[in-house]
Amino acid sequence: MSPAHFRSRTGLRRDIEAAVHTLDPQTRRPDGALASPATARNAGPILEVLRAHLPARGRVLEVASGAGEHAVAFAAALPGLEWTPSDPSPEARASTAAWAGASGLPNLQPPLALDMLEEANWPEGPVEAVVCINMIHISPWTATEGLMRLAGRVLRRPGGLLALYGPYREAEVELAPSNAAFDESLMARDPAWGLREREAVAAAAKAEGLAFTLRLEMPANNLMLLFRAV
């Protein structure tokens, strides 16, 4: 799958999550910012995990930020961190910029045009953390491999944090019916998409010097997976 094809697909990320995984539609505010009830609901639980594991100060790179609603919520709650959102979709970046403009947060940076399949455009580190929410299942596997290479390159060593959120397959856990239906819908839209095996994601991270340290169950059959640069 070409990078151009991936960019055209990734703009659908939040629409698919809303329509299929949560049945919540997105709405566009007068300033152009896109809002989703699903994002508003999961921001709190994700923030609890991030607050417990991120340092008080430093730089955070968010990969596949989507509409930017999460970025604003996290930057507001974690004022000591410089939060940089990113997304390959121009529409997503425009929404993030609208959210940021309305928030006026001094620690929220402009969104980067960051594509996991275009390594030449990746930013330089070091950063204290890389955060990625709901990308891995709505992108080709090569994007996950790119994410791990990026994190391995930019995370501060030792101890830099890679935090992943979303639904996964696990060998020892029966797949929830809602996740099975979501997986089927994703693969019907694009055969390169779908829920990934947690073990495969951990192996891809390990290949880039990232140790799998914590698995946390989250609402709606999602997981937070935490990795540390070693």
Side-chain angles (χ1 to χ4, degrees):
M1 184 177 295
S2 69
H5 179 74
F6 179 47
R7 284 195 300 276
S8 69
R9 294 280 188 168
T10 49
L12 300 173
R13 222 176 264 134
R14 296 298 168 179
D15 292 335
I16 292 171
E17 182 190 354
V20 180
H21 202 199
T22 67
L23 303 181
D24 287 327
Q26 284 187 318
T27 57
R28 187 180 297 275
R29 305 190 319 178
D31 62 0
L34 295 169
S36 165
T39 303
R41 283 196 300 270
N42 65 30
I46 295 172
L47 176 60
E48 287 184 19
V49 177
L50 295 178
R51 197 193 302 273
H53 294 276
L54 288 172
R57 299 191 176 277
R59 300 171 61 202
V60 178
L61 173 64
E62 184 183 3
V63 172
S65 302
E69 196 170 357
H70 278 142
V72 168
F74 301 155
L78 304 167
L81 294 172
E82 179 187 288
W83 199 277
T84 302
S86 72
D87 203 278
S89 163
E91 181 182 16
R93 295 195 302 275
S95 175
T96 298
W99 276 106
S103 72
L105 292 168
N107 62 322
L108 182 59
Q109 301 301 303
L112 300 179
L114 192 57
D115 189 326
M116 293 301 94
L117 299 185
E118 291 192 353
E119 193 164 345
N121 296 327
W122 291 353
E124 297 296 325
V127 300
E128 275 60 45
V130 173
V131 175
C132 185
I133 299 168
N134 285 329
M135 180 201 86
I136 286 179
H137 54 285
I138 312 182
S139 61
W141 177 248
T142 48
T144 297
E145 294 174 325
L147 171 64
M148 298 311 178
R149 287 197 303 276
L150 170 69
R153 176 185 301 181
V154 303
L155 281 175
R156 190 180 301 278
R157 295 178 185 272
L161 175 69
L162 170 63
L164 308 179
Y165 172 90
Y168 293 88
R169 291 181 173 273
E170 299 182 285
E172 71 277 17
V173 180
E174 183 177 358
L175 190 64
S178 61
N179 278 354
F182 182 43
D183 187 39
E184 182 178 347
S185 176
L186 289 173
M187 290 190 290
R189 292 172 182 264
D190 190 319
W193 294 356
L195 273 61
R196 309 301 181 190
E197 297 285 348
R198 188 197 70 200
E199 293 83 355
V201 173
K206 184 178 180 180
E208 301 299 333
L210 307 171
F212 179 38
T213 60
L214 192 61
R215 169 197 180 275
L216 295 169
E217 294 186 2
M218 304 293 285
N221 299 308
N222 289 295
L223 297 176
M224 284 286 290
L225 304 180
L226 303 185
F227 302 81
R228 292 284 181 179
V230 295

